[in-house]
Amino acid sequence: MPRVITAYVRGIDAMNRFIGRFAMYLIFALIGVLLWSSVSKTFFNPSLWTLETAQFVMVAYYVLGGPYSIQMGSNVRMDLFYGAWPTKTKAMVDAFTVLFLITYLVILMYGALSSTAYSLGYFGLEPVQFFWGLLKTLLTEGPTAAGEKLGYLERSSTAWRPFLWPVKTILCFGVFLMLLQCLAELFRDIGRLRGVEI
């Protein structure tokens, strides 16, 4: 395999391993929020922020840990025949399934970008164009001008009413990391088909 591809696979693996391990520590934040929720319901007035905070932390936990899960091969698989197949057959099947996963993640990424753009007050049809224009304005004219491009920021419909764009942005970032990891897995499978381990 070319050095560029090997460097890409190793770099993405290292990045997602770091982010995945960080995401595992989010479980402690989730436990703390849920414990506080139980204590506050029992002894004080219930806290308004605990339900949304728990949901937001759970989203971050799953989507930031997803690429690490893909890398470690800890996804669920029906292993009726797979375990008995030779390495090259496994690599071919894995490459085929990764292509399906990449297709699904591209569609999910577009939906996540659309949802995030909606949360930032943009109601047009092309979220990629909106984010490109927002980034261009941020880099050329500064944060104030970029902030003026935003519309009404979407909030949750609950009593606490937190902004939804932060969790939707984390969702976009997590799906993007999963796409990068799937591409690395595809390169790894192609390498195994050629008899090279990356």
Side-chain angles (χ1 to χ4, degrees), residues 83-84 88 93 145 147 186:
K88 288 192 175 185
V93 169
L186 183 62

Side-chain angles (χ1 to χ4, degrees), residues 77 81-82 84-97 189 192-193:
R77 177 184 323 183
F81 307 107
Y82 184 86
W85 289 340
T87 303
K88 288 192 175 185
T89 306
K90 287 180 185 177
M92 194 179 319
V93 169
D94 289 343
F96 185 68
T97 56
D189 293 334
R192 285 193 304 162
L193 282 169

